[in-house]
Amino acid sequence: MAKYICKRLLQMIPVLLGVALIVFTLMYITPSNPANMILGDTATPEQVAALEEELGLNDPFLVQFGNYILGIVTRFDFGTSWFTGKPIVGELLLRFPKTALLAALSVVLSAIIGIVCGVVAATKQYSIFDNLATAISLVGVSMPSFWLALMLCLLFAVKLGWLPVSGSYGWEYWVLPVVTLGTSGAANIMRMTRSSMLEVIRMDYIRTARAKGQSERMVITRHALKNALIPVITVIGIQFGNLLGGSVLVESVFAIPGLGKYGVDAIKQRDLPAVLGSVLFLAVTFSFVNLLTDILYSFIDPRIQTSLGPSRRQKRAAAGKAEEGAA
Amino acid sequence: MKKRGLIRQNSPWMEILSRFSRNKLAMLGAIVLLLLILSALFADVLAPYGMDDQDVSQALQGPSAEHWFGTDKFGRDQFSRVLYGGRVSLRVGIVAVAVALVFGGTLGVIAGYVGGKVDSVIMRIMDVLMAVPGMLLAVAIAASLGAGLGNMMIAIGIGNVPGYARITRAAVMSAKGNEYVEAARATGAGNLRIILRHILPNAIAPVIVQATLGVASSITACAMLSFLGLGAAPPTPEWGGMLSTARDYLRTHAYMAIFPGLFIMITVFSLNVMGDGLRDAIDPRLKD
């Protein structure tokens, strides 16, 4: 297992380097000149030229990219904000816990609701509950998260006055953002759990389990659910990525000072290093979550554990299936 | 199932169409989508006011017989703007998917057909793109390129490329192994001919499903980028942009936030049920 984790960590290096290259290229091709942005309109051409030299903007692309990577690897330096002049990494670390908490709470909420509803819907296929849950989940996946955020605000904060609209001071501030982000996740997870359970329930080993007189509850939890969970876990992993993307909007709607809001504010100020720093930071988080889901696979499916991690083909198959479900 | 013998005489596509038409929810989605497309196309005729007709005396009026969805702070009719906004959303959704299809599809076909090292290189690059959640990638690209409709389409399109590459690759790989491909090769058909005439028609079904669902997610992404101020420049009406404005009036003029969002949801919903219906129609085994 340790060997597998090490191998996966090593595999992450080229992927993250690739992400950094994309992010850096985006920064490189942007039409605005950082020196102008930092100095403002009043700067003389000489000042601009001097700062360009100082920032290394005249170096070839690869040298600049090398320095950017070296800065991140050796000094954990994601660059300096064009707007505040402060190092970005401090701001990112300060805000990361809020985003992580928001995403974690939403994933937990959506996984619980999604799996429970999915299992019940599958075991009682075509019942009222199944139809209702399927209909609600279809609406849930179709609703843009920021609109749901606005509607929840409107209902629970403006009309009913039960919950605060913005900020992050106590638990009550987290209810609406977590529900907003959790909704589409729960809908996706429910759909996947339902279809995966329906597939598993028809297997011979389920019939065997029933035939040997095991209680229905044991059949569902022990035999069916355990086998149905693998594509569901893939979806949960993908959901986490969507949540990180969605947090960008939901944080800014509910004024939660997390990475997403930082990124949005940076977009408005055209503070590119800050935008790309937060994207890179979220991508790194996403990669670790993916690694975590893969490790989780092996706990749930001992067949994978014995071969030290799923083969590429198995994983692709599971991911493909999950994507189909998620889409 | 009893009708099988009859249907089998039809072409596979007719069979798919007949299965699709029997799926009530999917048909509903298709009809609603058709209505939305028509209302966007004929917005000039249907909309009671122009998309940027300002009448300050009518500013911030709630829904009424004159202004079905109310008016905004410039007194612009929200119903007309929602209709015109459909043009932008649908166009962005379709163009972004087309961009993703062309690039992702081509890469997927090459990777799946050629295999070997080419396949590994392409798929490693796709892995890199997939390491960033699609929405985030779109935000980053749009932020770098600057606001605007064209940039937004490119940003959303690129974010979608890896998904299409993977699906096309898988479909091509499974079609490649069939005997008819071997037969085509034996008759002396070239690679391009084999791909275009024999593999693609047999690999296209999952791609069509993905594209339908992709238009839905691209419309959401479009609304999201506009909401962040990275979309169409005002005064062009766009659903996400309208919601962004409505946010400031949530306490006092909530109706402004309701209708554009409702239209996004209905559009995305109908595309989703249509995509699901298509998938079930194309591969009935997948149906529960």
Side-chain angles (χ1 to χ4, degrees), chain B residues 3-15:
Chain B
K3 289 186 187 165
R4 224 179 167 157
L6 275 175
I7 293 167
R8 199 173 278 167
Q9 294 163 358
N10 292 332
S11 78
W13 289 105
M14 285 307 286
E15 207 174 317

Side-chain angles (χ1 to χ4, degrees), chain A residues 30 147 194 249 286 316 324, chain B residues 124 131 144 224 257 279 288:
Chain A
T30 188
W147 186 60
R194 180 178 178 273
L249 282 155
F286 185 47
R316 287 244 166 82
E324 245 173 50
Chain B
R124 287 300 80 75
S144 307
M224 171 179 148
R279 177 171 44 211
D288 336 303

